[in-house]
Amino acid sequence: MTPTQPQNAFAPIEDVFYGAVAARMLITALEIDLFSALEAGPLPLAELAARTGTLPHRLEPLLDGLTAQGILTREDVGYAATPAASEYLVPGKPLYQGPAMMLLSHFTDSLQGNLAERLRHEDDARQGSDKGWGMETIMEGTLGHALTGALFRVTRFAAELPGFAAMRTLCDVGGNHGAYTMALLDENSDLTGTILDLPHVVPFTKARCRERGYGERIRAGAFDLRTDDLPQEGFDLIVTSHVLYGVADDLEAVTRRLAAGLRPGGWLISHHFAPGERDAGIEAAHEFMTRLAGYPTHFLSRQSLETAMRAAGLDGFRADAPTPPLGGGLILAGRKRG
């Protein structure tokens, strides 16, 4: 046999598979509570193995892998968590991202199986995906992701809109966990909130708001963005966070219906991922998961949103793009004329 001489490096192709292994390593580190063990400072391999109940010779490559990914560092006395790992990966801390990581794992695990067949045939993936928004674990996951910058940025952005102090009625369309509404009510003591979401989500939303002391100021109701209308001129502020992508194929018509629910001078806020914010490979993977979940896209450009808002009678646009360390996507607001 005469070997064929390769003309191109195979490593970039092979590396795709090892990226999946790196993700599982991080999930495993959360499952064994590795980052809590490191919170007090660096520890040697043997001590970490004892604290996490693992075998040293199997734990070591996991630690080395996380070090290579920039999540841990290697010190003279052992392994240590980076500042980012300490901030986001230790249970009990305000910005703990364990639920968000598990949410991502939930979506990536859903890719197992015969994907080739899913590429060839339509299915009811959208229905199954919509059901998931009522699960407490998924609510916690989406909230966790919002805590990495989106919740802070949207709250600050809305509070700085002209006329915010005089606003009295807020509608959070697809509000799910209710955190955006609760945060905005804290910024304006005269504001009352309405959270609208799919019927099976509403009981969980109501319970979360009531448990956090907002029961008198927030009501929750059933709503399907694809078919339902808001009360005419019922709100001073309407917020949509990671919702409009689900109606990207009918964006202009949906935006018109939302705008109809604004009082003259009221604001509509769109908060969504825009193309070009992240590494192209990450965005492509995100879009792949989104399409297989039954949604038309997960990325809405500023131009497409402004076009839809302008057609719905909004102008005076204001925008805010993510700037490290705050993530969370594009925020765009338009004001109703009149």
Side-chain angles (χ1 to χ4, degrees):
M1 181 182 101
T2 304
T4 301
Q5 179 178 343
Q7 301 300 307
N8 301 283
F10 178 64
I13 297 173
E14 189 177 35
D15 289 350
V16 173
F17 292 92
Y18 288 113
V21 177
R24 290 308 312 171
M25 293 170 76
L26 178 56
I27 292 296
T28 301
L30 292 171
E31 291 172 344
I32 64 175
D33 207 12
L34 173 69
F35 301 101
S36 293
L38 288 171
E39 185 61 7
L43 289 174
L45 172 63
E47 180 66 18
L48 272 175
R51 293 197 183 193
T52 58
T54 57
L55 301 171
H57 68 283
R58 291 192 171 169
L59 178 63
E60 185 176 28
L62 185 142
L63 299 175
D64 290 341
L66 295 176
T67 301
Q69 294 293 326
I71 296 171
L72 300 180
T73 61
R74 189 74 180 267
E75 311 290 339
D76 291 340
V77 295
Y79 296 89
T82 62
S86 178
E87 182 175 18
Y88 293 119
L89 300 178
V90 177
K93 286 202 167 184
L95 301 182
Y96 176 54
Q97 290 298 297
M101 295 295 97
M102 295 302 177
L103 175 61
L104 286 175
S105 180
H106 166 80
F107 283 115
T108 56
D109 288 347
S110 70
L111 299 179
Q112 302 301 318
N114 194 338
L115 287 184
E117 285 303 302
R118 296 187 63 187
L119 294 178
R120 294 186 177 108
H121 303 288
E122 293 288 352
D123 56 27
D124 59 352
R126 173 70 178 261
Q127 183 178 359
S129 299
D130 282 348
K131 286 182 179 179
W133 301 121
M135 296 172 57
E136 185 71 17
T137 54
I138 290 184
M139 281 189 172
E140 290 297 332
T142 55
L143 172 58
H145 191 269
L147 293 175
T148 63
L151 181 59
F152 175 84
R153 287 178 52 233
V154 171
T155 303
R156 181 185 62 187
F157 179 89
E160 292 175 353
L161 289 174
F164 178 78
M167 292 180 184
R168 296 295 178 265
T169 52
L170 159 70
C171 182
D172 186 352
V173 178
N176 197 259
H177 46 67
Y180 288 98
T181 296
M182 289 184 269
L184 287 169
L185 263 57
D186 287 347
E187 293 291 324
N188 181 341
S189 60
D190 294 319
L191 197 62
T192 59
T194 297
I195 300 175
L196 299 178
D197 216 312
L198 295 171
H200 65 280
V201 178
V202 172
F204 298 94
T205 302
K206 285 181 178 179
R208 292 175 68 89
C209 294
R210 184 172 59 250
E211 290 166 2
R212 289 157 178 79
Y214 293 86
E216 297 300 316
R217 295 180 65 195
I218 296 176
R219 64 170 292 270
F223 187 81
D224 191 325
L225 190 59
R226 293 164 289 188
T227 57
D228 296 340
D229 295 316
L230 296 175
Q232 289 287 313
E233 298 188 358
F235 303 101
D236 298 311
L237 177 65
I238 297 174
V239 176
T240 64
S241 178
H242 294 298
V243 175
L244 292 181
Y245 72 85
V247 291
D249 47 3
D250 199 23
L251 185 60
E252 187 169 315
V254 170
T255 305
R256 286 180 184 275
R257 295 208 305 273
L258 291 176
L262 281 174
R263 293 175 179 143
W267 290 90
L268 171 64
I269 294 178
S270 162
H271 166 233
H272 295 87
F273 293 129
E277 292 178 358
R278 300 287 300 275
D279 172 84
I282 292 175
E283 287 192 0
H286 197 164
E287 184 73 354
F288 182 60
M289 289 191 295
T290 303
R291 298 283 187 94
L292 286 179
Y295 302 104
T297 185
H298 213 310
F299 297 92
L300 299 174
S301 69
R302 177 171 177 173
Q303 180 180 358
S304 67
L305 288 164
E306 282 196 9
T307 298
M309 287 184 178
R310 190 173 287 109
L314 308 181
D315 54 23
F317 300 115
R318 291 178 170 231
D320 182 75
T323 303
L326 299 179
L330 170 71
I331 306 172
L332 178 69
R335 194 173 199 175
K336 188 172 183 177
R337 294 189 288 269

